[in-house]
Amino acid sequence: MIPSQFDYVRVSTVDEAVAALAEHGEDAKILAGGHSLLPIMKLRLAVPTVLIDISGVEELNYVRVDGDHVAIGAATRHHDLEKSEVAQAEVPLLPHVAARVGDPQVRHRGTLGGTVAHCDPASDLPTALLALGATVVVAGPGGRREIPITEFFLGFFETAMEEGELIVELRVPRTGAGGWGYEKFTRRENDWPIVAAAAVHLPDGSVGVALANMGGVVLKAAAVEAALAEGKSIEEAAELAAEGTSPSSDMHADVEYRSHLARLLTKRALKVAAGETEASTAESTAA
């Protein structure tokens, strides 16, 4: 449970971070909150020789309105997102989900960019961002570029970032008073979801739906979205939640049970988003 030896570099700007990544190459890792990276380093599943600490880069810590979007700096901590008045007014799904990540210690250290870059299929906030149709902004030696979140998660712990790049911003459509819901099933309160479902009414009139822990990455519930667009009822659409997914079987749930949870939680999230019912008060209750 002791990580391998590494060097530590602390930077104060994005340019310094990009330069440090260029200098140290693929052996370097970005350190923000550390709640995703440090545990796998202790298990030696990741063995970087250099950690580049961006926790002090103030230009990456913000939540602000930018046109039709809310722009969120990659180093914004979950707690700050949860308490942000801008986020609560303009994209309330995100602060709601941020408040359900881990415990207070995790939320005061973990960052939005970090959890997206980690690309864990059981992550709460990436699921919400996927439902919202967010855009990931990365910076690297060639400057900045935008990646639709639907193209960002490539596989288990694998993203579309190229060598030398880091996430600098997440851009999310302003949903305002549009309905939304987030339902997750856990063994313990605030634990990683065994399955979770996010649903949100988007500015273009469509409904975004995404699932956690139903494959190697967080997934769009494409069949559900298509059914809703065709005018199907919530009940009819939710029955399609497991289509196109590849859930695993482990000590917590088998494939059949995860598929059941996907259908159940999607229906609940859609009903909450539609204002037909209130959000579940217990995260560990499933029928």
Side-chain angles (χ1 to χ4, degrees):
M1 297 298 290
I2 299 174
S4 59
Q5 186 174 354
F6 58 87
D7 293 328
Y8 173 83
V9 177
R10 186 175 179 85
V11 298
S12 57
T13 68
V14 171
D15 288 344
E16 289 179 4
V18 171
L21 283 171
E23 178 183 353
H24 298 288
E26 62 182 12
D27 293 328
K29 289 285 186 182
I30 293 291
L31 174 68
H35 279 283
S36 298
L37 177 60
L38 295 181
I40 63 174
M41 286 180 61
K42 288 181 178 180
L43 294 173
R44 301 208 175 190
L45 297 175
V47 286
T49 59
V50 179
L51 289 187
I52 302 169
D53 187 351
I54 64 168
S55 62
V57 180
E58 289 300 322
E59 63 185 289
L60 295 181
N61 187 5
Y62 56 85
V63 182
R64 60 188 179 224
V65 172
D66 185 3
D68 294 333
H69 291 76
V70 174
I72 307 169
T76 302
R77 303 197 185 280
H78 304 327
H79 172 79
D80 295 332
L81 181 58
E82 173 191 351
K83 300 301 181 182
S84 166
E85 293 183 359
V86 171
Q88 290 170 4
E90 301 293 346
V91 60
L93 173 60
L94 285 183
H96 173 83
V97 174
R100 283 149 184 79
V101 175
D103 54 30
Q105 288 177 311
V106 170
R107 293 194 292 273
H108 278 80
R109 291 296 303 169
T111 65
L112 184 60
T115 193
V116 172
H118 188 53
C119 193
D120 192 307
S123 250
D124 295 283
L125 282 164
T127 306
L129 290 165
L130 186 60
L132 285 160
T135 299
V136 185
V137 183
V138 300
R144 297 194 177 201
R145 65 187 181 105
E146 297 185 354
I147 308 171
I149 200 163
T150 51
E151 301 173 10
F152 186 78
F153 304 118
L154 301 182
F156 192 60
F157 295 151
E158 181 185 3
T159 74
M161 282 193 294
E162 298 177 355
E163 184 177 336
E165 291 184 328
L166 74 155
I167 298 175
V168 292
E169 184 177 88
L170 285 304
R171 297 181 59 80
V172 185
R174 296 167 63 185
T175 58
W180 52 271
Y182 185 73
E183 299 288 322
K184 72 174 180 175
F185 180 76
T186 63
R187 290 191 306 124
R188 300 166 297 187
E189 187 175 2
N190 291 330
D191 207 347
W192 293 95
I194 293 173
V195 174
V200 59
H201 290 252
L202 297 170
D204 64 4
S206 65
V207 180
V209 185
L211 299 167
N213 230 350
M214 287 296 291
V217 296
V218 293
L219 296 171
K220 290 279 276 184
V224 176
E225 293 179 341
L228 291 171
E230 294 169 0
K232 299 289 181 63
S233 69
I234 287 175
E235 288 77 9
E236 291 173 318
E239 281 300 307
L240 306 175
E243 288 195 8
T245 66
S246 53
S248 62
S249 181
D250 56 27
M251 62 182 292
H252 303 305
D254 60 18
V255 171
E256 182 180 357
Y257 189 52
R258 277 200 165 90
S259 297
H260 162 72
L261 286 173
R263 292 187 289 268
L264 175 67
L265 298 177
T266 296
K267 181 172 71 173
R268 287 182 180 176
L270 286 170
K271 284 184 172 291
V272 172
E276 296 183 13
T277 187
E278 294 183 357
S280 302
T281 56
E283 294 177 340
S284 57
T285 301

